[in-house]
Amino acid sequence: MRITVFRRLMADEFGPARAETLSKDHQFSGLGGRTVEQALAAGVPAKEIWQEVCVAFEIPAERR
């Protein structure tokens, strides 16, 4: 998954402003306590990050 696709999915799910805030501030245990931005900078694949976001926020399967 491309990062641009990931960012679009985040914005579609949470709205642009909240998606940006979540990406910078929310630490995900499934990402080793990192934020989305930290995980992307560390080279974690965007698809893996999206899956963790979906689990953490209980996003229904049809929107994953």
Side-chain angles (χ1 to χ4, degrees):
M1 170 186 297
R2 292 178 179 249
I3 293 173
T4 54
V5 172
F6 168 77
R7 294 210 187 273
R8 188 187 76 236
L9 289 170
M10 288 285 289
D12 289 349
E13 187 63 37
F14 300 107
R18 184 164 184 231
E20 185 176 343
T21 300
L22 285 175
S23 293
K24 293 178 182 176
D25 296 336
H26 189 87
Q27 295 177 321
F28 293 86
S29 60
L31 298 174
R34 293 179 283 199
T35 67
V36 165
E37 296 302 326
Q38 291 168 334
L40 287 170
V44 177
K47 184 174 183 176
E48 186 177 320
I49 297 169
W50 176 244
Q51 290 170 343
E52 181 57 34
V53 170
C54 290
V55 169
F57 287 95
E58 299 178 353
I59 295 172
E62 63 270 7
R63 294 198 313 260
R64 290 184 182 197

